[in-house]
Amino acid sequence: MQDDARGCALAYKMVAERDNEKCSFAPESRLLIVAKAKVWASEGWKVVITDPDGKAYTPPEFDQLSAA
């Protein structure tokens, strides 16, 4: 696993889907991916974040990742 300059793991991934569109972002730091996912979810996208262990998080669980 790689670390950025602040020591944050860069292994979080995000997938956003809406209608016939699908966008993926990976790998990014936990805080950056959570912020991005919250914005996309607020714009009507179905968003899922996957952590380094493969656990999936949906919008109601994003705050768990922010607090970690």
Side-chain angles (χ1 to χ4, degrees):
M1 191 178 325
Q2 237 180 336
D3 291 336
D4 68 6
R6 293 173 306 279
C8 298
L10 293 175
Y12 288 82
K13 301 174 185 169
M14 179 185 116
V15 175
E17 297 182 51
R18 181 172 67 181
D19 302 326
N20 292 329
E21 298 178 80
K22 183 175 182 178
C23 297
S24 300
F25 300 90
E28 296 194 31
S29 72
R30 175 179 45 86
L31 295 178
L32 180 59
I33 207 78
V34 169
K36 188 178 290 187
K38 285 182 176 183
V39 170
W40 283 65
S42 74
E43 294 178 356
W45 291 79
K46 179 183 174 190
V47 182
V48 175
I49 295 174
T50 306
D51 72 9
D53 297 322
K55 181 175 177 358
Y57 297 84
T58 59
E61 302 168 305
F62 290 168
D63 287 337
Q64 292 175 27
L65 290 171
S66 296

